[in-house]
Structures are given as structure tokens and as C-alpha cells.
Amino acid sequence: MRILGIDPGTRMAGYGIIEIQNSGKILAVAAGAWDLNANQELASRLATLAIEFRRVVAAYAPTHLCIELSFLAENPRSALYLGHARGVVLSEAHQSGLKISEISATSAKKIISGNGRCNKNEIAKIMSSLLGFQMQSLPLDATDALSIACADAMRIKQSSFHSSSIIDKSDSNKKILEEWSKSKKQKRR
């Protein structure tokens, strides 16, 4: 399974792709940031974001997308612009057939570090340690995107663990006893 994490923006947007191997190990596949020229009109930047998103999806063939949820910014215009970027990514992901999930920055940080309020540099250090790259080699938007993808991977692993390992013992015992009773009756015949 390949997960594409996106830290959306209209000036800079980060992406990070991880792969969950059959062994459960998480590997970094690719990461970077799209510098969306702040001097261009918003529509042009959003078009560039869509093009770059499609290029990454075509090059790395992720199966899942996890995008950071919008936050209520102090500046309503910033929140609105972030919503535009998220809309472009969500539309492109849907058209690409990716399974889509969303996570808040706070939740991703908490899953990755145990602290939902850690800063971008702390996340970069954790991601470089976890995935084995030099922290300075990637922009902070890219390490944020990797953390979003990794947090999603950890949520997926945890939910599949819980859904497959939670057993109602009383129900399980009943089924075992029923099967045992059937096998005894068949042997008597």
C-alpha cells in the first residue's frame, strides 16, 4: 500500500509518499514541495497544484491519499485559500481513484510524536529518524506531508489490528462449543 500525504497550501504545498510493506515496515518513497509562485493569480497557482499532483500520482502510483484538514486560521482569507488548495487536491485524488482520508495537523503530530503541539522542526527530526533521511535535505512542508502519510498508515494498521483482534470471548466460546458438538454427533453416526 502506498500513501500520499499532502500538506496543502496555495504558496507552498508539501507531498510525501510512503509504502507499507507486507512486513508492516514503513518506507519513504518520495517527498518534496511544490513552490506555487505567490506572484501569480490564485487560479494559476491552483492549476499548477493540480498538474503537479497528477505528475506525482503518475510517477509513484499511490493507492491512498491523506490530506491535512483545514484549520481555522486567524486570517479568514488564508483559511479560504487553503480550502481552495484542498479542493483541488481532493478532486484530483478522486479522479485518480485514490482512497481518501483526512487528518488534522494536531492528530498527525500526536500520532507521530505523542505531542499534538510540536513544531515543524521537531516533526522533521522525528521523520528523518523514522524514515532514515537527512533532515536538512527536505523542506519542512515535505516532512509535514510525510508525517501525515505516516500517521495515516499508523491509523490504518491500528484499525486493522483492532478489527481483526477484538474477539467477543463468550461468542467465540459458543461457536467452539457448537462446532465441537457437531463433530461429536457426526462421529457417533
Side-chain angles (χ1 to χ4, degrees):
M1 169 189 322
R2 281 194 176 180
I3 301 173
L4 168 57
I6 297 288
D7 180 16
T10 56
R11 293 180 183 214
M12 180 78 72
Y15 69 91
I17 302 171
I18 60 163
E19 184 171 312
I20 304 173
Q21 298 185 318
N22 290 337
S23 65
K25 186 175 180 180
I26 297 173
L27 297 176
V29 174
W34 302 303
D35 187 0
L36 307 169
N37 187 344
N39 295 324
Q40 291 182 337
E41 291 181 12
L42 178 61
S44 179
R45 288 183 273 158
L46 294 174
T48 300
L49 178 60
I51 291 165
E52 294 301 326
F53 181 87
R54 286 192 298 266
R55 284 185 185 155
V56 166
V57 169
Y60 298 104
T63 55
H64 292 67
L65 167 82
C66 187
I67 186 169
E68 185 178 285
L69 282 167
S70 294
F71 60 94
L72 187 58
E74 289 179 23
N75 181 343
R77 184 174 178 171
S78 296
L80 182 63
Y81 278 26
L82 180 60
H84 290 318
R86 282 178 35 80
V88 166
V89 170
L90 289 169
S91 176
E92 291 295 330
H94 177 75
Q95 291 177 54
S96 298
L98 302 181
K99 184 173 181 180
I100 299 169
S101 61
E102 300 172 289
I103 191 167
S104 70
T106 304
S107 294
K109 289 175 183 179
K110 186 163 179 85
I111 290 169
I112 296 299
S113 72
N115 176 5
R117 299 286 179 212
C118 63
N119 66 39
K120 286 182 175 280
N121 286 322
E122 292 168 327
I123 287 295
K125 286 178 188 174
I126 292 167
M127 295 316 300
S128 66
S129 173
L130 180 67
L131 299 173
F133 61 84
Q134 293 296 319
M135 185 180 93
Q136 300 81 5
S137 64
L138 288 175
L140 294 176
D141 295 293
T143 54
D144 279 354
L146 283 168
S147 74
I148 290 164
C150 286
D152 195 43
M154 291 174 185
R155 283 192 314 188
I156 290 168
K157 286 166 99 175
Q158 187 173 7
S159 72
S160 66
F161 172 76
H162 286 304
S163 65
S164 65
S165 66
I166 294 176
I167 298 170
D168 181 351
K169 292 179 182 175
S170 62
D171 191 43
S172 174
N173 288 336
K174 183 179 176 184
K175 287 179 184 177
I176 291 170
L177 291 174
E178 286 173 0
E179 289 297 320
W180 174 251
S181 179
K182 284 180 190 176
S183 69
K184 282 178 65 176
K185 287 178 184 176
Q186 289 176 352
K187 286 181 182 177
R188 288 184 193 160
R189 291 183 190 168

